[in-house]
Amino acid sequence: VPSHDTKSCWIEWMYTAPEYRRKGIAKKLHCDIKKICKKQKIKEIMLDVFEVNKPAQQFYKKQNFKPFIHILKENA
């Protein structure tokens, strides 16, 4: 659980066009984000991924992200 005195980075949207996937671009972007966070003394990076987006989930697992919150929805 993040504490109130911990600075966080929230990745709102990161997308690699299909023709550029599997070329290390997303990994490079993530590495750059981590460098910026370290420089800014940001201790945690958070993002959300849709349950159906298994490739993104696998990518973030490889980058050491761990599940943090589970969001449920119901159609009204």
Side-chain angles (χ1 to χ4, degrees), residues 4-58:
H4 294 291
D5 58 344
T6 302
K7 291 170 69 175
S8 299
C9 169
W10 181 268
I11 299 174
E12 184 70 29
W13 188 260
M14 188 165 88
Y15 178 81
T16 306
E19 62 269 23
Y20 296 105
R21 292 180 187 160
R22 300 200 141 313
K23 298 180 190 264
I25 294 171
K27 190 173 181 177
K28 172 77 169 107
L29 284 171
H30 179 67
C31 185
D32 289 348
I33 290 168
K34 285 177 71 169
K35 286 178 187 175
I36 292 167
C37 288
K38 187 173 184 172
K39 196 174 194 179
Q40 297 293 320
K41 296 183 172 55
I42 294 171
K43 303 290 183 193
E44 56 193 17
I45 302 170
M46 295 187 285
L47 53 85
D48 58 356
V49 177
F50 285 108
E51 189 69 30
V52 297
N53 194 345
K54 300 299 182 192
Q57 290 178 35
Q58 290 175 332

